[in-house]
């Protein structure tokens, strides 16, 4: 799959799936943080900075809250 900014590979990581991503494009943005950087570099940065364990803790907390709300109704 193409990487773009890394949304699909990041989703694969969240779902504990394997992925192969590639992209040879260059970002043309008004944002200096991304302008003239390759999409592959941007995606790699997003994926490497994402904390799966923190996401799992948040998901668990939300499931607990939604379960308690469901009991109210």
């Amino acid at each position: 799959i193409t990487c773009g900014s890394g949304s699909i590979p990041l989703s694969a990581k969240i779902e504990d799936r394997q992925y192969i991503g590639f992209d040879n494009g260059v970002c043309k943005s008004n944002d200096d943080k991304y302008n003239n950087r390759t999409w592959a570099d941007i995606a790699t940065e997003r994926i490497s900075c994402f904390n799966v364990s923190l996401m799992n803790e948040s998901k668990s907390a939300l499931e607990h809250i939604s379960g308690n709300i469901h009991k109210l109704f």
Side-chain angles (χ1 to χ4, degrees), residues 6-61:
S7 297
I8 299 298
L10 187 56
S11 297
K13 184 175 181 176
I14 290 169
E15 295 298 321
D16 197 26
R17 301 285 187 161
Q18 295 180 352
Y19 60 90
I20 298 172
F22 60 91
D23 204 310
N24 64 353
V26 176
C27 179
K28 299 295 182 192
S29 171
N30 292 330
D31 186 345
D32 288 338
K33 181 178 179 181
Y34 300 112
N35 193 35
N36 290 323
R37 290 181 60 197
T38 64
W39 285 112
D41 286 343
I42 294 168
T44 300
E45 181 180 300
R46 286 186 69 202
I47 294 164
S48 66
C49 291
F50 186 76
N51 188 333
V52 173
S53 62
L54 182 60
M55 189 271 314
N56 287 335
E57 289 175 19
S58 298
K59 183 177 176 184
S60 178

